[in-house]
Amino acid sequence: MTAADRLEALLTDLLGPLPFRLRAWDGSTAGPDGTPTVVLRRRRALRRLLWQPGELGLADAYITGDLDVEGDLAEGLGTVRRALAGRGPVRPAARDLPRLLAAAARLGALGPRPAPPGGRAAVRGTLHSRGRDRAVVSHHYDLSNEFYALLLGPAMAYSCAYWTSGDESLTDAQTAKFDLVCRKLDLRPGSRLLDVGCGWGALARHAAKHYGARVTAVTLSRRQHAFASALVAEAGLADRVEVLLRDYRDLADGPYDAISCIEMGEHVGERHYPAFAGRLRGLLRPQGRLLVQQMSRGANAPGGGAFIETYIAPDMHMRPVGRTVDLLEGAGLEVRQVEAMREHYARTIDAWYDTLRERHADFTGLVGEPTVRLWQLYTAGSSLAFAEGRMGVDQILAVRPAGPAVRYAAAP
């Protein structure tokens, strides 16, 4: 009996009929034809799954190259996920464990717990304290400015683009998003804009150059701060754009005519979000506008999942968009418009994923093969989550009322 035959029998016990084909470390194959091929290059892949069943064990095996998927990773993930949908989590009965362990032993997969790959976040301290938030931001955004420049393209925007046609480029779609934000905020020459979580400063530069706004842009990432400041100077916008290395909780220089917060609110945390919304309201002038672009997720799945929380963005908190609207209204803001952009994000991430594949050698030279594989898995899985409606992203436009603050009771 080959290794692939034993693996097929073992996995069928756990999952039912397999929706993929297997290729084992000895070259043997098993499973249905015409389906994605999962390659276990080393016995260690199975050992990782025994020690850490589920999403994180699979991610570790893929990042290290112990496990691979032949062909297009995104297509393979989608096919397998759809086939397994509705089967429920893998929970072997206690009576089955001896038999499963014996099968693993015959495969030579038992042994010490394998060391995890590099790249996991190591953050400590009180949740959403200033120090911990800085460490979380540094883990993800300080990876390499050169890496992000290659991935994101000339727009250098790490957020959902806005696609208005079938043939436009990612750069054009990001520019369309900047224009959409600026129009919703009603920016005019001399408008004072605060951009919270400014990334590499793309929106700030666009608002200053094309709308005449005077922009204060803030980030917690030292590399983003240095990069954005240099681009502002290079563009001749230093008299209209100031980039600050600062926590939003330390801002006190309002009032602003407008505030943008593009995919930063997910990192605030559930307990801190009311104070966050209140701080933004306090920084706005009466009738000033706030534009929040933020990812959403079902009430029972607020985080990004084990893989994203371990490798990409620890401490994330997402919620249904209606709950975010409740929190903004509870802070005394009047919500004027909500625009769903879920499909736009799937297409944006697909563009990043395609760049990773097309420029694989360049990315590997910058950050190494394991990190490239990590990002391939991250972008492929994220695109699938948006395409299938398990995650969303929305632009929420709110206004600070002219009169006294009206505080609505947020939904429980």
Side-chain angles (χ1 to χ4, degrees):
M1 195 174 190
T2 67
D5 290 332
R6 293 186 187 278
L7 280 167
E8 182 184 28
L10 177 62
L11 293 174
T12 299
D13 275 349
L14 294 173
L15 302 174
L18 295 186
F20 52 85
R21 189 163 178 77
L22 286 163
R23 177 172 291 113
W25 48 86
D26 63 353
S28 60
T29 59
D33 292 326
T35 58
T37 298
V38 175
V39 183
L40 285 83
R41 300 195 183 282
R42 291 174 279 276
R43 291 180 175 87
R44 189 171 56 202
L46 188 56
R47 192 182 311 160
R48 290 186 185 279
L49 293 171
L50 289 171
W51 278 100
Q52 196 161 248
E55 178 180 316
L56 202 51
L58 284 167
D60 285 354
Y62 183 81
I63 292 166
T64 56
D66 293 339
L67 179 148
D68 214 338
V69 176
E70 285 190 353
D72 184 80
L73 174 63
E75 291 179 7
L77 285 178
T79 300
V80 172
R81 179 175 173 79
R82 288 188 291 273
L84 294 178
R87 296 195 190 181
V90 178
R91 291 195 183 97
R95 65 177 180 275
D96 293 330
L97 288 177
R99 178 170 54 85
L100 294 173
L101 288 172
R106 286 192 291 272
L107 284 163
L110 298 184
R113 184 170 189 158
R120 290 189 172 197
V123 294
R124 299 176 178 81
T126 304
L127 186 64
H128 293 298
S129 64
R130 284 169 168 77
R132 182 176 174 122
D133 279 354
R134 280 194 300 272
V136 168
V137 166
S138 179
H139 167 76
H140 190 46
Y141 296 100
D142 287 344
L143 171 62
S144 163
N145 284 334
E146 294 76 15
F147 171 87
Y148 283 110
L150 185 59
L151 179 71
L152 305 177
M156 201 66 170
Y158 186 34
S159 57
C160 179
Y162 189 68
W163 302 84
T164 58
S165 69
D167 58 356
E168 66 191 308
S169 68
L170 174 62
T171 298
D172 290 339
Q174 289 291 7
T175 300
K177 187 268 299 294
F178 300 149
D179 281 327
L180 183 67
V181 170
C182 292
R183 289 196 304 269
K184 287 183 178 182
L185 289 174
D186 194 28
L187 295 183
R188 302 168 186 272
S191 294
R192 194 165 184 234
L193 170 66
L194 172 65
D195 187 22
V196 181
C198 67
W200 291 269
L203 173 60
R205 295 193 305 277
H206 188 87
K209 180 177 180 179
H210 297 284
Y211 291 82
R214 295 179 295 120
V215 187
T216 299
V218 296
T219 178
L220 285 177
S221 165
R222 292 187 180 278
R223 291 194 178 185
Q224 282 185 339
H225 174 260
F227 194 93
S229 298
L231 288 180
V232 165
E234 182 181 315
L237 296 170
D239 60 330
R240 280 179 276 170
V241 179
E242 181 182 22
V243 185
L244 302 177
L245 185 64
R246 190 167 299 175
D247 193 293
Y248 76 89
R249 288 164 285 201
D250 297 326
L251 294 170
D253 60 342
Y256 287 89
D257 299 302
I259 298 176
S260 54
C261 181
I262 309 300
E263 296 178 29
M264 178 269 182
E266 301 89 337
H267 304 285
V268 171
E270 182 69 354
R271 187 168 65 86
H272 294 79
Y273 205 92
F276 168 70
R279 175 58 60 88
L280 297 184
R281 181 196 177 278
L283 289 166
L284 276 174
R285 65 164 175 80
Q287 295 296 302
R289 297 188 177 199
L290 167 69
L291 189 289
V292 173
Q293 181 171 305
Q294 192 167 302
M295 288 179 278
S296 57
R297 195 162 178 162
N300 297 322
F307 165 63
I308 287 179
E309 291 172 15
T310 299
Y311 283 102
I312 304 297
D315 304 343
M316 281 187 77
H317 188 96
M318 294 170 282
R319 64 187 71 80
V321 62
R323 173 63 179 157
T324 297
V325 169
D326 286 340
L327 291 167
L328 293 172
E329 289 185 335
L333 291 157
E334 180 184 353
V335 172
R336 294 286 183 87
Q337 183 199 51
V338 178
E339 181 173 359
M341 299 172 63
R342 177 179 61 81
E343 295 91 346
H344 294 264
Y345 222 160
R347 190 171 171 186
T348 302
I349 298 171
D350 284 346
W352 297 340
Y353 175 77
D354 289 343
T355 301
L356 279 167
R357 288 196 305 164
E358 294 162 6
R359 304 290 298 273
H360 183 273
D362 296 325
F363 282 109
T364 302
L366 285 171
V367 295
E369 180 69 16
T371 299
V372 174
R373 291 178 68 85
L374 187 160
W375 274 80
Q376 288 173 328
L377 186 60
Y378 169 45
T379 51
S382 296
S383 173
L384 194 60
F386 283 102
E388 294 181 347
R390 290 180 283 115
M391 288 183 64
V393 65
D394 310 275
Q395 283 190 353
I396 306 170
L397 178 66
V399 174
R400 175 175 175 167
V406 178
R407 305 254 174 195
Y408 300 93

